Amino acid sequence: MNTTLALLGGTPVITTKEGHYTWPRITPELEASVLKQLHESLSIYDRSGIFARFEQAFADYHGRRYALVENSGTSAIYGMYEGLALQPGDEVIVPAYTFFATVSPLLHTGAIPIFCDCNQDGNINPDEIVAHITPRTKAVVVTHMWGLPCDMDAIVQICEQHGLILLEDCSHAHGALYKGKKVGTFGQAAAWSLQGQKIITGGEGGIILTDDATLYHRALLQGHYNNRCKQEIPRDSDLFEFALTGYGLKLRAHPLAIAIALQQFGHLDEWRQQKQDYAQQFSEALAPYPFLKMPRFSEKQPSWYAFMMQYDEDRANDIPLDVFHRALLAEGLTEVDRPGSTGPIYNLPLFTKPHIALPRLYKTPFTQKEAFPCADSFYHRALKLPMWAFPDDQFIVHQYIQGIQKVCDVVLNCPESLLAPASLQ
Ligand SMILES: *Cc1c(COP(=O)(O)O)cnc(C)c1O
């Protein structure tokens, strides 16, 4: 067994550069579903065909009444906000640590995002939610970060107690469960991305679920004008007269995308179980290293969109995360990543200077008086692995475990070698 780190001139654990993790996997079954749809229809005006089949399957799986496919997860999130008929000046409590598209569509409503710090697991902190409620608060949005469900007992209780609407961004969390209950079923509405990297993907796409008829009809009008609105909005509704034009946007999904998503969806539970098995292998193999904190998930069944570790430099014999990460990459572990665009979002220009970007809705900048130390810390310490989903990934999983153990052993037992000038360049 070679123990000299590749970063210091040794032999890498993995020498193949490509194909460590490919998502989605293009199987003959997937190809057939695309071809079938290609011959069936490339544009669907109403709730029929592949849209109806996917929406029905997704709604049934979650036990929800209405489902609406969109052209992206961002559009699906926008649809939830439109569904609430928010007014300028309304406040919506949002995570400080998430992907920005959880919040950016809110800026098209005139409402004010109120950022809220996270827990040590990266998910929104319920105590911080309470601390940010004001008489203007209308809703709370949570993201189940990296597929780990938020603390839903506490969050649901807070929202009920204060009469707040709860929305879930489940874009990382397809099929995840909290105490046996699926995410996306805790609030008034939930949205999922079906973008290329997501667990259920159509390449691009999104979906909303809700039990609330008015919310659903408003989301329909926002992006699905004419036939579908006429078909689904009751004639005696105040909203029916807008059915022809909708609210001016078109956010309809592409049928080929939804055909892909439906085929993928059929494998969701099997993938979650396989990912869980591999996640367990990583957790157990890496548990002995005190400077690597594994995700904790008691009472939760994560979707394992990613396996997020937290690197604690103070317990790593002063080896900086940057050096640790470079040592892993040198071993050929090319999938180990430090996430960039998913992180603390409270400082992004859209959320501090909306009066420049969207002057029709905002007159003044948002002055951020607050710090979000947990969001910053989680981001700076985060080390991400994809989580594999197929039985034949066992060998690559094993290699990744070996590679991480090899670098960890050096951090633990001879950190001096890693602090030598050669590795710090
Ligand atoms: C991917 C993602 C989105 C946006 O979805 P798109 O389909 O890319 O528009 C929103 N929120 C989260 C948490 C995401 O990961």
Side-chain angles (χ1 to χ4, degrees):
M1 170 89 193
N2 82 83
T3 54
T4 310
L5 291 184
L7 188 68
L8 305 173
T11 312
V13 171
I14 304 177
T15 48
T16 54
K17 288 224 173 347
E18 310 267 296
H20 296 187
Y21 179 84
T22 311
W23 199 261
R25 224 183 239 204
I26 313 298
T27 59
E29 184 198 357
L30 179 55
E31 287 174 353
S33 62
V34 172
L35 276 178
K36 183 163 174 287
Q37 187 58 41
L38 185 63
H39 291 285
E40 188 177 307
S41 171
L42 288 177
S43 177
I44 300 174
Y45 301 151
D46 57 5
R47 187 176 188 277
S48 66
I50 195 73
F51 288 1
R53 294 201 289 281
F54 181 62
E55 288 175 354
Q56 197 62 52
F58 206 79
D60 288 350
Y61 179 84
H62 292 89
R64 290 230 118 171
R65 181 138 180 228
Y66 302 106
L68 179 59
V69 289
E70 305 267 358
N71 59 9
S72 74
T74 308
S75 296
I77 292 164
Y78 191 15
M80 291 200 295
Y81 291 138
E82 191 64 59
L84 301 186
L86 292 165
Q87 307 269 332
D90 285 348
E91 294 180 357
V92 178
I93 294 175
V94 302
Y97 178 83
T98 183
F99 181 63
F100 56 79
T102 305
V103 183
S104 47
L106 182 66
L107 279 276
H108 288 264
T109 69
I112 302 166
I114 303 294
F115 291 100
C116 186
D117 210 355
C118 62
N119 284 320
Q120 299 221 330
D121 63 4
N123 278 334
I124 196 164
N125 180 337
D127 295 334
E128 290 291 313
I129 295 176
V130 175
H132 287 84
I133 294 172
T134 75
R136 293 175 299 282
T137 310
K138 288 288 179 317
V140 174
V141 186
V142 305
T143 308
H144 306 287
M145 289 305 300
W146 308 110
L148 182 73
C150 295
D151 295 332
M152 296 316 290
D153 278 350
I155 292 168
V156 167
Q157 202 206 340
I158 292 163
C159 289
E160 281 176 358
Q161 195 180 340
H162 295 267
L164 303 176
I165 291 159
L166 173 60
L167 303 177
E168 296 171 79
D169 180 351
C170 304
S171 297
H172 292 181
H174 309 69
L177 299 105
Y178 174 86
K179 296 188 179 174
K181 185 171 155 69
K182 294 199 173 84
V183 304
T185 64
F186 287 90
Q188 272 75 3
W192 288 254
S193 168
L194 305 171
Q195 183 271 337
Q197 286 305 306
K198 304 297 159 74
I199 298 174
I200 301 303
T201 177
E204 299 289 353
I207 186 164
I208 303 175
L209 288 186
T210 184
D211 290 335
D212 183 315
T214 305
L215 191 155
Y216 175 63
H217 295 150
R218 294 190 63 91
L220 273 173
L221 286 165
Q222 182 197 44
H224 308 263
Y225 55 65
N226 204 358
N227 289 21
R228 185 156 180 174
C229 287
K230 288 178 185 161
Q231 180 187 44
E232 294 207 67
I233 300 174
R235 274 168 193 278
D236 60 1
S237 160
D238 292 345
L239 295 173
F240 183 77
E241 61 179 324
F242 301 100
L244 175 66
T245 56
Y247 295 162
L249 301 177
K250 186 177 169 193
L251 307 173
R252 231 152 59 192
H254 196 298
L256 288 182
I258 302 308
I260 294 170
L262 179 59
Q263 187 277 332
Q264 302 274 295
F265 184 56
H267 295 279
L268 179 57
D269 288 341
E270 143 205 339
W271 290 343
R272 192 191 63 238
Q273 275 162 33
Q274 184 62 70
K275 282 167 172 272
Q276 171 66 34
D277 186 55
Y278 290 140
Q280 201 80 36
Q281 292 183 27
F282 278 100
S283 284
E284 281 165 23
L286 303 178
Y289 304 104
F291 52 88
L292 267 189
K293 207 172 102 200
M294 298 295 120
R296 288 215 209 105
F297 51 90
S298 62
E299 303 197 294
K300 301 175 183 180
Q301 285 169 269
S303 63
W304 299 113
Y305 176 54
F307 185 86
M308 289 299 284
M309 298 174 284
Q310 288 276 293
Y311 183 83
D312 185 353
E313 212 168 287
D314 295 337
R315 305 176 80 173
N317 291 321
D318 294 327
I319 305 297
L321 174 52
D322 173 55
V323 174
F324 184 72
H325 184 211
R326 280 193 291 123
L328 293 171
L329 294 177
E331 295 302 332
L333 279 59
T334 49
E335 296 291 342
V336 181
D337 183 30
R338 297 179 68 186
S341 57
T342 299
I345 62 165
Y346 59 86
N347 260 333
L348 296 175
L350 182 62
F351 304 130
T352 57
K353 303 173 192 167
H355 64 301
I356 296 174
L358 298 160
R360 65 188 176 278
L361 290 169
Y362 299 95
K363 299 288 168 250
T364 54
F366 296 158
T367 39
Q368 205 56 253
K369 298 175 281 292
E370 245 182 293
F372 300 92
C374 293
D376 292 339
S377 157
F378 192 88
Y379 176 68
H380 289 298
R381 294 165 175 230
L383 206 55
K384 167 176 160 261
L385 280 173
M387 203 32 67
W388 286 266
F390 301 96
D392 63 9
D393 288 319
Q394 179 65 71
F395 182 66
I396 191 82
V397 166
H398 184 67
Q399 286 188 306
Y400 268 72
I401 288 174
Q402 278 196 325
I404 299 171
Q405 285 177 326
K406 180 180 171 187
V407 177
C408 284
D409 284 335
V410 174
V411 169
L412 211 55
N413 302 319
C414 70
E416 324 73 62
S417 65
L418 266 171
L419 289 169
S423 62
L424 288 173
Q425 277 162 20

